[in-house]
Amino acid sequence: MMKKSILSDRCAVGTLALALGFTPAVVQAQDETIAEDVIVVTGSYIRGTPEDAAVPVDVYTSADLSQNGISSPLEFIKNLPEVGSVLGDSNQFSSVAQNNQGFGSINLRNLGPTRTLVLFNGRRTLTAPGAVGGGFGDTNAIPLFALDRVEILKDGAAATYGSDAIAGVANFITKAGFEGVELQSDYNFVDGSDDNYSASILVGQNFGDLNIMAGFGWQHRSELPSTERSYGFQPYDVNPSAWSALATPGLFTIPGVGARPDVGCAELGGTPDGFCRFSFIPFDNLIEEEDRYQGYVQADIDLSDTLRFHGEFTYAQTDLDAIGSSPGYPPLQGPGGAQLGGGFTVSPDNPGAAIFANQIGIAPPTDAIGIFLWRPFGHLGNPTDPVRGSGRQTANNKAYRLSGTFENDFSDTLRGQLSMTWANYQRRRSSPGVVGSRLQDALNGLGGADCDPATGTPGVGGCLWFNPFANAGPGNPALGLTNPFYVPGNENSIELIEFLQIPNGVEETEDSFIVDLIFSGELDIDFGGGPIGWAAGAQYRKLDFLSRPLGVESNLDINPCVILGDQSCLGGALDGAGSFIFLGGSRPERLNQDVKAVFAEVAVPVTDRLEITAAARFEAYGGSIGSTFNPKGAVRWEPTDWLVFRGSVGTTFRGPLAAQVSNNAVTTLAALAAANANFKAVDIAGNPTDLGPEKAFSYNIGAVIDFGGFNVSVDYWSFEFKDEITTTDAQAIASAVVPTAGGVANCSSPFAALITFDGGACVQDVTMGTNISRVLTQWVNGPKTTTSGLDLAASYTTEIGPGVYSIGVNASHVLEYDIGDFNLNGNLLRPGFSAVGLGNLDRLPGTISPWRANAYINYNIAGLNLRYGATYIAGVRDERCDGLAFCATTNFGGTNFGRNIESYTQHDIHAAYELPISAFAAQLQFSIENFTNEDASEARLPLGHNPFIGNTLGRVFRLGAKVGF
């Protein structure tokens, strides 16, 4: 076999100079970076579209990714300046990230991952299922080892590709005609964890007119505890957002005595504050342990001189089997209905009760002890995790995709494609939830799978006691602290805990079937610049979505009320509250959606330097969603050989997901300001009656200069939304009803009916913000949103001595991101605001940094490539602090932690050396990423940093190798 240079890998010399923060290849000659038979670029179905066309398309080759130490799509995406907040790292305290563990996403223009269409070889790829944790292309399912290049279209493209392409398109394209064997692996040394590593193999072979390529990849990320970074675990008086008033040791109400705190708060790592403040952060992670697997098989065959077939099969699996979380969630509902503490009581005969009384210096109780400020396990940790005491969530994804395309040349000027794509995505996610009625039984000595509460004797036989007091555990395993108040023999058994605390979640399956019929060609009409190109076609998409609760305890059709097995709440305020003390349940549901579309596109070369293109698409959803028509036009003008002007204008759209128009609801968690930043349940309900598509008017104006080794591009872009598909704002609802944090509720507010309070009702001048139990939100068509900005890229390449020297910069600047007034049922829910330069830490659209940029210096000589790269993300302001002397105030004073979330700059060094071996190609890679060990930017969030500004890994040493035969 012919030896292939891994270092060059068909990459133009000018595009070798790419740093960890990439600068894209923008070149005149398309075949410098793309195989000669590939002449259709993302954004058009018309052949001959160049990369400096009327729409901005950036191209990144596999060599670019490899030489920058990129081992996953997530690493690549996070370093694109035009991309905002993305999913993939742990951020369980953000409502937009909950239910998304194990997914990867791309968020062009900060418009949200559901507004960027992800393609694989030009066809729709695997879509994450679900209404909240889904609806976007899962980039973790992309087989990076098989890629030839990635094309990023930074312009609305719904007229070409349909729904979801509002902000743009990311098209991951595999190698064509690959022969040989390619092995890759890398190892990343990460301080505080067991390191990250990956490996892959790719094999290709020609069999006459048939080429088959197959490969497998694996990436492993190790757990990085929050305590391994200084900002991750802060004292209560510094970052109170990481602390809760609900703990073990708890605050109990004792008949004849009153409210008394349990012992051991300070000794177990808590903060005494009249009661015990508890931080769940030591039990959480900055990075979760995660394994990702991808398998890929591709076949290309020439069936005749004019007929070709391309087939591909993808398998993807992501496993997170031990996501770190709080040892136990606090009771917001229970035998007493929806109320703080849940109305739970402890039998005076509970073995821990007499010891508790003795330790706090009172007589043994003779009546039931009331639970007020408490949670299971708390500082003692969860005994089911003997190492750290964490509660362990799970997220497991498994997906299959099969796609085939027949392409036929009917003549030199007429071609046709027929493609069919089937995909199946299976997801199972769970959080440990305590069943309230089982907990109450166990507090009375009647817990356990082998105990019948109606006939059993407390603490006898299979009937077990649950000890809620601090004397139940030896210490705080996450902080390595010893409990001086521990009484051996008073522990809660693993058997009992696994009966009380069970996996609560769902199994979701999404099947999709897509048919594309596309014709393209050239007309015998020439105005002087060449024949008119055209394309037209149709698409049919069918989606089936199935959601099933993991068990009967989670099934609200079977257990809608707070007491397991009880249905007396049907039709009342607690209907659908479910049987868990904190987390909600779900109902089984099956949904389907059929979408039909037709589209057309034309490119008119007016002269050899001026081209005008136009496209339009009609897409019909049926039912309450209806249909939408979207046109687009673009112009490309090349006044000189070294200068191109380009511009585009059009409308673009996105239709609701099937799950968003369902009758079901999904529960997330949010630290509500109105509830003194305590985490409360937020139920997000579907909208089957009047949720319609969202539309956007977008335009782009830019220029490309390519002269004497210099390459410069500038683009101004703008998007104006209306009828944005979003959820009603839980923070705004809670704050509208409770204007002062923790203060008195305004029960006459038009939004009060959307909040479930302790006791089920809002009582004027009595109900407080801390009495909020849960908030109901819904998918709606929301406010108008306008955003615009500039993309800048510049590079220079020249020969210096025996090598090639390159330097470049790539930046994106958000000029405006204005969100209009949010009205709900005719009432102002939230006034409009400008999001640029703000953290937006508890509202959409999330953090909007005004600048994101990267730069590089590269030198390539005799098989050795050296580069320095820098990444910059501008800081933002925490708008929650505006007008306040202190961002937060505790009984210990005020704190301004995270008031200004500082800019982040990362410096990297990469080296790649191609060994001088004649028998095979081998490349060694070495990187020091973030060699200054820059910390992520501090923010008043539970994990102490803004996950979208900065890098939690710290300084990383990377070793890699790539071998080709």
Side-chain angles (χ1 to χ4, degrees), residues 23-24 26 51-58 109 154 642-648 699-706 711-717 789-795 809-813 815 851:
T23 297
V26 182
E51 291 177 63
D52 56 355
V55 292
V57 179
D58 292 343
R109 307 300 188 206
K154 302 178 294 184
W642 52 269
L643 176 63
V644 172
F645 291 105
R646 61 191 180 191
S648 65
Y699 62 93
N700 187 96
I701 302 171
V704 179
I705 299 173
D706 194 349
N711 186 282
V712 179
S713 69
V714 180
D715 285 281
Y716 171 82
W717 48 267
L790 292 171
D791 286 343
L792 311 166
S795 64
V809 63
N810 189 20
S812 185
H813 178 41
L815 294 171
W851 282 97

Side-chain angles (χ1 to χ4, degrees), residues 51 155 180 193 236 277 293 404 434 464 523 584 641 658 797 809 928 960:
E51 291 177 63
D155 193 23
S193 86
Y236 170 66
R277 297 279 184 181
Y293 311 89
V434 172
L464 305 174
L523 301 177
D641 291 340
T797 301
V809 63
I928 306 177

Side-chain angles (χ1 to χ4, degrees), residues 3-18:
K3 174 178 177 285
K4 178 182 175 183
S5 170
I6 297 176
L7 191 62
S8 57
D9 195 20
R10 293 191 318 218
C11 180
V13 171
T15 65
L16 282 171
L18 300 176

